Every structure is written in C-alpha cells, then in structure tokens.
Amino acid sequence: ILPLVSVNQVLLLLLVLTVCAILYNKVHQVPLALRNETVDLESPEEMEEEIPVVICAAAGRMGAAVAAISSIYSNTEANVLFYIVGLKTTIPHIRKWIENSKLREIKFKVVEFNPMVLKGKIRQDASRPELLQPLNFVRFYLPLLIQKHEKVIYLDDDVIVQAGDIQELYDTKLAPGHAAAFSDDCDLPSTHEMVRSVGMQNTYMGFLDYRKQAIRDLGISPSTCSFNPGVIVANMTEWKHQRITKQLEKWMQRNVEENLYSSTLGGGVATSPMLIVFHGKYSSISPMWHIRHLGWSPDARYSEQFLQEAKLLHWNGRYKPWDYPSVHTDLWENWFIPDPSGKFKLTRPDS
C-alpha cells in the first residue's frame, strides 16, 4: 500500500495536469471544422455570389414568367435568386405554381409592387392597353424593390434562356458612370431584315414625337439607334446616385401633360422615357444575349441556324408564344411548366 503522502502527491500531479490541459485547450482552441462532430457550414453554392434576377408575374401571363424562370434555372450552375414581382391579387397564384411544380427547388422571393406609385404618371392610350399595366414599369423602380444587391438583371416575362448560363449575362461589363446595359437595336445585321419586313422602328423617331419642342430641345438626332429595355443589367449604386427613377418619373409626368410619346409609335410607353434618360449613357449587352422581335409577326421567322446560336430569345410584340398565332412556339414550350391549378392554359389551334 502506497504511503498517504505518495497518494496525495499523485492526486496533486493529476490535478495540475488537468488544469494545464484545460488552459491549453482554452489557448489553442480547435477549429470547429476539425472536430469530430457535425458542422453546419455553408454549401459552396451559398458562398458564391448571388445573381439576382427580377421577373414580373402579371395576371393572365404567369405562364410566361414560369417558362422564363424554368429556362434560366435549367441552364445555369450559378447561385441565382429570383425576385418575382407581382400585384397583391396575383401573388398567391404564382407562389402556389412554383411550390407545386419542379421549380420548388429554386431560390426566390415574391415582391409585391404597389401600383399607387404610378398615380398621375401614365397617359391613357387605347391602342395597346396591355402596355399600360403597372408591372410594365417595375424596371423603373429596381432599387426600391431590390435592396441588398449591387448588380441586378431585369428580364421581361416573354423571354427564355435556351442555351447560355445567366452568369455570362450577369458578367456584362458596365462602363464607369453607367447605371445600366441594354441591347442596341442596330447591333445584329441578322435582325435587320426582320425589322424591315414587319415595319418595326429601331430609331428614336419611332418612339418620340419630334414635332414637340420638348423632344427637339433634347438635341437627340431622330435617326439615333434605339435600345430595348426588356433585358437590363443594372448597377444599383449608379442608379441611385444618378437618381434614375426620379428622372424616369419626370418624363412620365411630362408625357401626361404634353403627349411626348405614344405606344402607337414604337410599341411601348415604358421604352420612351428610358431612351431619353439613358441616351449616350449605357453599356452594351452581347447581341446573342437578346435576340428579339419574335413576337412582332405571326409569320416572319428567323432561320433555325440563327436561333440555335441565340442564348436568349425575346417575343416582344403582340404575338406571344403562349397565344395563337405566334412563331417559334416549340422553343418556348421546351421550358413551360403547366399550371397545377389549371387556371393558365396555352392557346393552340386545336385547343
């Protein structure tokens, strides 16, 4: 039997060693990731930069927004966050559609747009009343809807991405001092024949009324090539710094008072104020990232070879791919997801 003194010495030694071990662990803390326990770390996807994509979901054409989202999500490896903008009455429908289809896996936020911000700013025009819908002006208010992002993509609902990764569009370089990038309407010779064949306008003359002094005072040549704001890559810092929204609203109000532009001219009351505000102050989107005019005629078609090279297709115009008649509907239907509620139906010749 060990003497009592020896036992006490052993116990004292063990106590000292225990205290030393505790102090050592305090000073040399083992990183969580190296411990033998489950650690809830962010996945690589969550650590990547988020790509915010804004799309509107309007009553009567929600299938368009769904097809656009489906096409983007199916063709990207990027960390995309969809901002789906709707009116209060339409939000439950689009949310149900997404949550009850294969799109339930997407990252999205539903944002309500208050049409009261447009009060007194839209001149009524009976020729194309659909262009006066409140969501047509969401692109004017991007910084108010999207708070935390430096760079944002806005897309009209009547587009699909058929081959490209949206990361490539997001990587569009904006020149210093530019709040946005657009597609120039004169950028692709392949589209010029289409423009001529259906009588479209691709200059400022087609959008602004040069008989009005306020337009002539701008000093913009009527033959200046226009751009299409259906696809936008925007810098939110510059947008806010230049007070772009306030400038757009000013020209909307002036149009109410002076009738400076009309949807009967260029086919869009949302385009004209943007042409004024961004004149000479925008960067360019790669032409194959915005092949448009597919909705301008029920007959005029692009060649299959040309469309195969296109990354984003836009059915701007009256003839939409979910209605009849329209062209290249097969390319659009590749990405369409039927409405689980059955409210939205495609219009086809045999339906």
Side-chain angles (χ1 to χ4, degrees):
I1 301 172
L2 284 170
L4 187 59
V5 174
S6 298
V7 172
N8 288 339
Q9 286 175 336
V10 171
L11 289 173
L12 181 62
L13 180 62
L14 288 173
L15 180 62
V16 170
L17 289 174
T18 302
V19 170
C20 288
I22 291 170
L23 290 173
Y24 181 88
N25 279 336
K26 287 281 186 184
V27 175
H28 302 278
Q29 189 75 285
V30 182
L32 267 176
L34 300 181
R35 293 183 189 167
N36 186 23
E37 56 191 71
T38 304
V39 182
D40 186 19
L41 292 176
E42 282 188 310
S43 68
E45 288 78 18
E46 290 170 333
M47 294 168 69
E48 293 170 358
E49 183 179 12
E50 273 184 343
I51 296 180
V53 176
V54 180
I55 296 178
C56 296
R61 47 193 289 164
M62 286 189 195
V66 166
I69 293 167
S70 169
S71 71
I72 294 163
Y73 181 68
S74 300
N75 285 302
T76 188
E77 297 294 325
N79 181 23
V80 179
L81 172 60
F82 293 97
Y83 284 87
I84 304 169
V85 186
L87 302 180
K88 188 173 185 177
T89 54
T90 61
I91 284 175
H93 186 187
I94 192 68
R95 187 185 291 279
K96 184 178 178 182
W97 198 329
I98 289 170
E99 292 174 350
N100 289 278
S101 71
K102 64 181 182 182
L103 291 181
R104 68 176 67 91
E105 297 177 358
I106 70 171
K107 288 174 63 177
F108 74 100
K109 292 183 179 179
V110 175
V111 181
E112 181 183 341
F113 183 66
N114 184 355
M116 290 305 294
V117 300
L118 301 171
K119 189 174 182 180
K121 300 184 183 76
I122 301 177
R123 186 184 185 89
Q124 295 305 308
D125 193 318
S127 61
R128 290 192 66 188
E130 75 275 13
L131 297 174
L132 304 177
Q133 296 300 315
L135 295 181
N136 209 29
F137 299 90
V138 161
R139 69 198 91 188
F140 290 14
Y141 297 93
L142 292 176
L144 302 180
L145 298 167
I146 314 301
Q147 302 291 339
K148 66 174 185 173
H149 301 281
E150 168 75 7
K151 198 175 186 183
V152 172
I153 294 174
Y154 166 87
L155 299 175
D156 277 353
D157 61 0
D158 50 357
V159 309
I160 54 121
V161 173
Q162 64 166 10
D165 190 320
I166 200 75
Q167 178 78 54
E168 187 180 332
L169 179 61
Y170 183 75
D171 290 340
T172 298
K173 294 284 187 283
L174 273 65
H178 286 179
F182 305 99
S183 292
D184 193 285
D185 281 332
C186 304
D187 59 5
L188 268 181
S190 309
T191 65
H192 294 175
E193 185 179 340
M194 172 78 83
V195 169
R196 286 192 297 271
S197 69
V198 298
M200 283 183 295
Q201 296 288 345
N202 62 0
T203 67
Y204 273 57
M205 175 66 86
F207 293 87
L208 305 179
D209 189 347
Y210 276 83
R211 295 170 299 180
K212 301 297 171 66
Q213 188 62 44
I215 297 301
R216 294 199 299 271
D217 287 345
L218 291 169
I220 303 173
S221 168
S223 62
T224 301
C225 193
S226 54
F227 59 79
N228 187 296
V231 176
I232 307 172
V233 181
N235 180 311
M236 294 292 92
T237 301
E238 278 295 335
W239 193 292
K240 287 181 279 193
H241 176 68
Q242 297 179 33
R243 297 169 62 85
I244 296 293
T245 297
K246 288 293 183 187
Q247 292 188 58
L248 292 167
E249 288 185 325
K250 181 190 82 171
W251 284 103
M252 292 169 75
Q253 287 169 327
R254 288 198 67 174
N255 180 60
V256 171
E257 297 160 6
E258 304 173 51
N259 196 19
L260 302 176
Y261 48 86
S262 168
S263 62
T264 57
L265 294 170
V269 292
T271 298
S272 299
M274 298 196 89
L275 291 177
I276 296 171
V277 171
F278 284 101
H279 174 251
K281 295 186 293 184
Y282 66 91
S283 298
S284 296
I285 288 172
S286 172
M288 299 312 285
W289 267 102
H290 194 180
I291 301 303
R292 48 209 178 278
H293 314 319
L294 278 76
W296 270 87
S297 166
D299 305 307
R301 305 173 67 92
Y302 286 116
S303 73
E304 294 303 319
Q305 182 180 353
F306 175 67
L307 288 179
Q308 283 176 7
E309 298 171 5
K311 296 182 178 180
L312 182 147
L313 302 178
H314 186 187
W315 278 263
N316 58 311
R318 296 174 185 267
Y319 302 97
K320 304 300 186 186
W322 55 90
D323 281 335
Y324 180 84
S326 56
V327 296
H328 304 298
T329 53
D330 55 323
L331 298 178
W332 182 86
E333 276 194 56
N334 283 337
W335 309 107
F336 175 67
I337 298 172
D339 182 0
S341 73
K343 293 177 185 174
F344 181 95
K345 294 183 173 65
L346 301 182
T347 305
R348 294 294 180 253
D350 53 353
S351 61

